[in-house]
Amino acid sequence: LYQGIRIMPRFEVVEEQIPEALKIVLYRVMQEALSNAAKHSGAQEVQVILGLREGWLEMTVSDDGSGFDPERVMGAGDTLSGFGIHSMRQRVEICNGRFEIRSRVGQGTRIRVRLPLEAGDGEDPV
């Protein structure tokens, strides 16, 4: 699916440590981040890190692609601009998580998601 891109996963957590309700959130965010890197960034390498940090599940997806101006994309008049980013943010915030995106033209993109482990105790949020 992501030909020409080297994906470097580093998982510091095993699946059993991830609450069921959070698995789909992590999957969808990772899927969208990888899709954006493949379609828009020209990235050659994407690093995915998933781990536990002080009661939070933390996932970072970083690419070495062309980057972009998040304010311009998120504030564009086109209703489809930034739709995937809005979707990722919304999924994370439904779980009382934190979503951060950092990108600069010519410097790649980093998406960081933090989900509280207790958010996985209830119903499926998605």
Side-chain angles (χ1 to χ4, degrees):
L1 242 161
Y2 304 110
Q3 293 179 4
I5 299 177
R6 182 175 175 203
I7 299 174
M8 301 175 57
R10 189 172 89 208
F11 299 143
E12 303 163 352
V13 57
V14 294
E15 185 176 353
E16 292 76 26
Q17 293 175 289
I18 303 172
E20 286 296 320
L22 298 182
K23 288 179 183 179
I24 190 71
V25 175
L26 290 170
Y27 173 78
R28 291 294 184 199
V29 171
M30 186 184 311
Q31 181 183 41
E32 182 67 27
L34 291 172
S35 178
N36 285 347
K39 288 180 188 176
H40 306 295
S41 79
Q44 294 181 11
E45 187 173 288
V46 178
Q47 184 178 56
V48 179
I49 301 171
L50 178 62
L52 294 172
R53 310 276 186 273
E54 300 173 1
W56 295 79
L57 268 169
E58 186 173 287
M59 180 175 69
T60 304
V61 181
S62 305
D63 71 54
D64 65 352
S66 59
F68 65 99
D69 178 352
E71 288 185 27
R72 190 183 64 75
V73 170
M74 300 301 285
D78 177 1
T79 56
L80 293 178
S81 289
F83 180 75
I85 296 170
H86 284 296
S87 175
M88 288 188 280
R89 180 183 304 278
Q90 200 169 41
R91 286 179 187 275
V92 170
E93 289 177 351
I94 285 172
C95 299
N96 295 317
R98 297 180 184 152
F99 178 88
E100 174 186 304
I101 185 163
R102 291 195 178 179
S103 187
R104 278 202 163 141
V105 175
Q107 296 184 14
T109 300
R110 184 185 82 175
I111 294 171
R112 182 173 167 223
V113 170
R114 296 187 79 211
L115 297 167
L117 285 175
E118 69 270 5
D121 294 338
E123 302 264 329
D124 187 354
V126 182

